[in-house]
Amino acid sequence: MIDLETLKEELNPQQFRAVTTTDGAILIIAGAGSGKTRVITFRIAHMLDKGIPQSQILALTFTNKAAKEMETRIKELTQKKLQNLTVSTFHAFGVKVLRADIDKLGYRDNFSIYDETDRVALIKECGRELKYSPEAMDIYMIGNLISNIKTGRKNWDTANNMYRPLYDSYQDGLKLYNAVDFDDLIVLPIKLFKECPEVLSKYRERYKYIMVDEFQDTSHQQYELMHLLADKNVAVVGDDDQSIYSWRGADYQNIINFEKDFDVTEIRLEQNYRSTETILEAANGVIAHNTNRKDKKLWSGNGGGKPIEIFMPENETDEADFIAESILGIAAEERRKYDDFGILIRSNTQGRWIEEALLQSNIPYVMSGGTSFFERKEIKDVISYLRVIANHDDDINLLRIINTPRRKIGRTTIQIINDEAEKLGSTLWTAIDSLIHAQDSAASETVKEDLQDFVDIIENHRQKLLSGRGLAQKVRQLVEDINYKDHLITEYSKSEKAVRFKLMNIESLINSMEVWENDPDNPNPNLFNYLNRITLLSRDNGDDENDKGKVNLMTIHASKGLEFPVVFIAGAEEGLIPHARSVEENNGDVEEERRLFYVAITRARDKLFISACRKRRHMQMVRECEPSRFLDEIPSNLVEYHEPKQITEEETHEMLSDMLANLKARL
């Protein structure tokens, strides 16, 4: 039980007001480090204590990690199981809506969710069918275009019309394969709510209280979804100064839209519990240069703190060495663990030099943004088998596994299957069935046998996997039955280590499946639910226990929501921060880049180091660099500039003498 007196002791006055104002439309402007998650969890706990049924509360956020953390903290506060409370990402909520009613849009219930790899494969397939030239098939650009059209960020009046047939073919392909992509997880629920008022009415009747975290990161579609669902009791939490995702559709103008669409009470959280006063004054000094923002000023009760140190190394190699040496020195002097350090970069290309310096210094590190576990080839192969077992009409995954491991179904046979599918206007699975059984089949008897063997594997394991419990053990048996180990030995005949590593990954997948299906809070551990779960999980980088005790090297975008006692911001140079491409795409507007720099500064708790190289390699050239304009926006009384140390002739002589003495001692 959390009574009001307890809340007053636990929270500052603004937090208390945000927690106890439960009715109406509330806009909580939560500055960096102001205890946002604490406010959200206490607010939901308070609502439950007031007697609001847990089934009437819907809390939406952006990452699985954030949703899980929120749910765990609410359970700890209330000491209740809360099985009817919905704390979810936007996309997971979209899956829930579609799973119940997607048939009303002409899909079958057991639809597949295409991840990025599947999506790319379908785009390529559509391009081949329409005979687009290789030069026209810029997959990244086409993928963005499809997403922009689908979500309404662009229309065919402003987009390149030559890709309209490809877009239509892509959409038809999704429908044919009974699949949806990630954009559909928001777009289709909106379509469903608009076309089927009775479905919307059902959700509005259930969810009387809605909360949205990281509101500045919502896209137009996510805002529309929330607006459709919300009656009057809706609380959104966000910070326009931390809006850094416009490139993926986020629009901090949604804060203004919210104020227009609802009768809003605004509450500001400006006390920062993370950083020193020096770091906060630096952040305030920078962000104050943005004009399109709500005026706020973070303050701290954590004391003044040390000045921000700015270094000007000669090049990216010296910069990386400076960072590695500083980490070793601070870790030894202050007895800090390696995971107390965060190294933030604007672009992944900066990482190489820093990684090399960390490796050379034997500093363990983890870099965000590597290949996701679920994107590894061996994992994708196993998952593809499960997707085809769950949904025979999933052509993309069927093509991935039909000859993996090799079973004499080569390109010629696949072409025959494609031709049959085109003739019938069907999926590949239906075409395979036709080739096996039709009297005028285009397939030879040998091809029929090979196809039948493949069908038998899928059907036999379908019966097992869709009945009863023990999903993990059945998947282990599937991997054995298809001789996947022998396949790996053949594929990686020169590397026994690679085979062991890949088999270990598969075992890790199966073990995690076992943990999931044995979770007492998981009432229905079936194959369909598992596949939906991992598709959503693979969008998140997750939180690996093995990463504890390692230095954190990441892009500034990936650092949002995190904090470290000691932070290094590398590459604070014009062209990197602000990034030249971003400035160009925004017609010279640097406000989002400034917000990004603000986010980087406010990740630091105790110490902040910023480096700007004098020269940096670009392609095959070395070019002169200019320090970022944002450095001049930090009040000068808060910083210490360090020029590269000029070594005198005498010092050089001493260093050489010391090196010689060390060499003699070793000999």
Side-chain angles (χ1 to χ4, degrees):
M1 185 78 179
I2 301 175
D3 57 35
L4 290 178
E5 289 307 313
T6 306
L7 283 176
K8 277 182 180 170
E9 287 174 19
E10 294 275 352
L11 306 167
N12 69 37
Q14 290 74 27
Q15 289 176 329
F16 178 78
R17 187 174 168 225
V19 165
T20 54
T21 308
T22 54
D23 293 333
I26 319 295
L27 170 60
I28 301 168
I29 300 291
S34 62
K36 169 179 67 77
T37 308
R38 183 178 176 80
V39 164
I40 294 169
T41 51
F42 268 87
R43 191 173 189 275
I44 292 173
H46 175 62
M47 287 162 73
L48 293 169
D49 279 344
K50 273 179 66 176
I52 294 169
Q54 54 183 278
S55 61
Q56 290 185 5
I57 299 171
L58 169 63
L60 295 169
T61 187
F62 280 83
T63 65
N64 296 297
K65 184 181 174 185
K68 189 175 180 183
E69 182 188 356
M70 201 184 294
E71 191 171 7
T72 302
R73 284 169 72 165
I74 296 164
K75 285 178 180 177
E76 284 171 358
L77 270 176
T78 59
Q79 295 296 302
K80 292 175 182 172
K81 286 189 174 178
L82 304 179
Q83 287 166 322
N84 294 320
L85 177 69
T86 307
V87 180
S88 168
T89 65
F90 273 96
H91 288 99
F93 180 72
V95 172
K96 185 176 181 178
V97 170
L98 294 177
R99 191 59 67 198
D101 290 294
I102 199 170
D103 59 303
K104 294 177 177 63
L105 296 174
Y107 291 77
R108 296 186 297 285
D109 291 343
N110 63 333
F111 61 88
S112 297
I113 304 170
Y114 274 15
D115 63 13
E116 193 56 32
T117 309
D118 301 327
R119 184 168 173 263
V120 165
L122 180 56
I123 291 170
K124 285 180 178 175
E125 181 190 308
C126 295
R128 279 194 301 271
E129 284 177 2
L130 293 167
K131 297 185 168 50
Y132 278 84
S133 66
E135 301 80 51
M137 288 300 289
D138 180 338
I139 301 297
Y140 178 77
M141 181 274 292
I142 293 168
N144 277 346
L145 177 63
I146 288 172
S147 185
N148 286 335
I149 294 288
K150 186 178 284 200
T151 56
R153 292 196 292 272
K154 281 188 180 176
N155 58 51
W156 290 115
D157 295 333
T158 57
N160 188 336
N161 224 35
M162 73 171 276
Y163 291 106
R164 191 163 192 167
L166 196 150
Y167 174 84
D168 293 338
S169 176
Y170 173 80
Q171 289 292 83
D172 292 343
L174 285 174
K175 199 77 179 278
L176 176 66
Y177 304 151
N178 198 40
V180 298
D181 64 18
F182 265 81
D183 289 322
D184 288 328
L185 298 183
I186 308 297
V187 171
L188 289 180
I190 291 171
K191 188 172 192 278
L192 183 64
F193 288 160
K194 286 182 173 177
E195 292 180 5
C196 307
E198 73 283 1
V199 175
L200 175 59
S201 178
K202 176 176 71 175
Y203 284 95
R204 290 191 68 157
E205 190 59 38
R206 173 172 178 182
Y207 295 116
K208 301 286 191 185
Y209 295 85
I210 295 174
M211 281 197 75
V212 181
D213 186 19
E214 301 287 10
F215 187 63
Q216 76 283 344
D217 293 338
T218 51
S219 65
H220 289 299
Q221 285 66 39
Q222 287 161 334
Y223 180 81
E224 189 176 0
L225 183 69
M226 179 219 75
H227 193 194
L228 284 166
L229 285 168
D231 181 11
K232 56 182 179 179
N233 300 322
V234 54
V236 301
V237 186
D239 179 9
D240 53 340
D241 287 338
Q242 295 187 71
S243 179
I244 58 173
Y245 292 115
S246 66
W247 46 275
R248 69 179 191 198
D251 187 355
Y252 68 94
Q253 292 287 334
N254 284 339
I255 291 176
I256 295 164
N257 295 336
F258 183 66
E259 289 175 312
K260 283 180 189 168
D261 293 336
F262 294 87
D263 181 14
V264 169
T265 299
E266 183 181 303
I267 301 168
R268 296 188 184 195
L269 308 180
E270 294 174 300
Q271 182 177 355
N272 175 287
Y273 291 90
R274 176 189 298 156
S275 308
T276 64
E277 198 66 49
T278 299
I279 290 167
L280 289 186
E281 281 184 33
N284 287 333
V286 170
I287 203 65
H289 287 77
N290 272 9
T291 54
N292 204 353
R293 64 184 288 264
K294 283 186 172 288
D295 188 39
K296 70 186 85 68
K297 190 173 166 79
L298 296 182
W299 61 277
S300 169
N302 295 340
K306 302 201 168 176
I308 292 163
E309 299 189 47
I310 299 177
F311 290 79
M312 300 284 189
E314 185 62 23
N315 54 37
E316 62 277 336
T317 310
D318 289 350
E319 178 184 55
D321 289 342
F322 149 69
I323 291 170
E325 286 163 15
S326 299
I327 289 171
L328 288 173
I330 296 168
E333 281 172 36
E334 301 179 16
R335 297 189 175 180
R336 290 194 182 274
K337 303 191 296 293
Y338 282 129
D339 55 9
D340 283 346
F341 297 89
I343 307 169
L344 310 185
I345 54 179
R346 174 63 180 88
S347 166
N348 276 315
T349 54
Q350 294 172 255
R352 177 189 153 195
W353 314 103
I354 297 169
E355 285 192 78
E356 284 181 9
L358 295 173
L359 287 167
Q360 201 169 339
S361 300
N362 291 319
I363 297 172
Y365 71 93
V366 57
M367 184 168 182
S368 297
T371 304
S372 155
F373 178 76
F374 291 101
E375 293 301 307
R376 296 181 193 275
K377 185 181 183 305
E378 62 277 12
I379 301 302
K380 290 260 330 163
D381 286 346
V382 174
I383 298 297
S384 289
Y385 268 95
L386 299 182
R387 291 198 191 287
V388 174
I389 286 166
N391 174 12
H392 290 346
D393 296 329
D394 186 340
D395 283 6
I396 299 293
N397 283 295
L398 185 144
L399 285 171
R400 185 183 183 91
I401 62 167
I402 196 165
N403 204 35
T404 305
R406 300 189 194 286
R407 50 174 69 87
K408 295 182 283 187
I409 302 177
R411 288 189 179 188
T412 307
T413 304
I414 290 170
Q415 188 58 56
I416 293 169
I417 298 168
N418 273 328
D419 291 344
E420 185 75 6
E422 202 168 313
K423 185 178 87 178
L424 298 173
S426 71
T427 62
L428 298 180
W429 183 267
T430 304
I432 290 170
D433 186 67
S434 172
L435 288 169
I436 293 170
H437 297 108
Q439 287 186 339
D440 58 345
S441 173
S444 67
E445 290 304 314
T446 308
V447 168
K448 285 182 184 179
E449 284 175 22
D450 294 337
L451 291 175
Q452 188 62 58
D453 288 345
F454 173 68
V455 168
D456 289 345
I457 287 169
I458 300 300
E459 291 292 16
N460 291 342
H461 284 280
R462 181 178 170 85
Q463 287 178 13
K464 294 172 189 170
L465 283 159
L466 297 189
S467 61
R469 293 182 73 88
L471 187 64
Q473 189 51 43
K474 290 170 185 173
V475 173
R476 194 176 274 117
Q477 187 62 51
L478 166 67
V479 173
E480 202 173 305
D481 288 353
I482 62 174
N483 295 319
Y484 196 79
K485 182 179 178 181
D486 292 345
H487 164 69
L488 289 175
I489 291 167
T490 305
E491 292 289 303
Y492 302 93
S493 55
K494 293 181 180 175
S495 177
E496 190 184 323
K497 187 178 177 183
V499 174
R500 277 204 312 272
F501 178 72
K502 289 174 182 298
L503 288 172
M504 188 175 70
N505 283 339
I506 292 171
E507 189 54 34
S508 176
L509 173 77
I510 293 169
N511 287 340
S512 70
M513 196 181 292
E514 210 154 26
V515 170
W516 173 78
E517 66 178 337
N518 290 326
D519 184 344
D521 287 337
N522 181 5
N524 195 9
N526 64 38
L527 180 61
F528 297 115
N529 286 339
Y530 178 76
L531 290 173
N532 284 336
R533 172 180 175 269
I534 61 164
T535 303
L536 292 166
L537 271 179
S538 63
R539 292 279 286 189
D540 246 357
N541 282 333
D543 186 21
D544 191 342
E545 285 293 312
N546 296 326
D547 292 343
K548 289 186 176 170
K550 297 178 182 178
V551 168
N552 302 274
L553 171 59
M554 60 183 61
T555 62
I556 303 172
H557 281 101
S559 75
K560 189 162 167 294
L562 304 176
E563 60 179 76
F564 306 100
V566 184
V567 165
F568 295 83
I569 302 174
E573 303 141 25
E574 288 293 310
L576 271 177
I577 307 175
H579 200 284
R581 189 178 67 242
S582 179
V583 174
E584 188 183 317
E585 287 173 358
N586 290 303
N587 299 316
D589 183 11
V590 297
E591 294 218 344
E592 178 152 336
E593 288 292 300
R594 189 177 280 111
R595 291 195 291 269
L596 194 59
F597 191 58
Y598 171 83
V599 165
I601 292 172
T602 53
R603 299 312 95 199
R605 280 197 348 223
D606 306 325
K607 288 186 173 182
L608 177 60
F609 300 88
I610 304 175
S611 53
C613 293
R614 294 169 181 270
K615 295 175 184 170
R616 186 176 289 275
R617 259 167 277 201
H618 183 69
M619 305 295 187
Q620 301 302 314
M621 297 172 64
V622 174
R623 65 183 184 190
E624 299 285 332
C625 298
E626 189 183 331
S628 169
R629 68 191 80 178
F630 300 148
L631 295 181
D632 290 334
E633 296 174 356
I634 300 173
S636 57
N637 62 307
L638 304 175
V639 300
E640 269 184 19
Y641 273 86
H642 297 266
E643 294 293 321
K645 189 180 175 189
Q646 298 297 318
I647 300 174
T648 64
E649 214 174 297
E650 191 180 330
E651 286 172 323
T652 304
H653 182 71
E654 282 178 15
M655 282 169 62
L656 288 170
S657 299
D658 288 344
M659 285 169 66
L660 194 59
N662 285 335
L663 188 60
K664 281 181 179 175
R666 282 187 195 171
L667 290 169

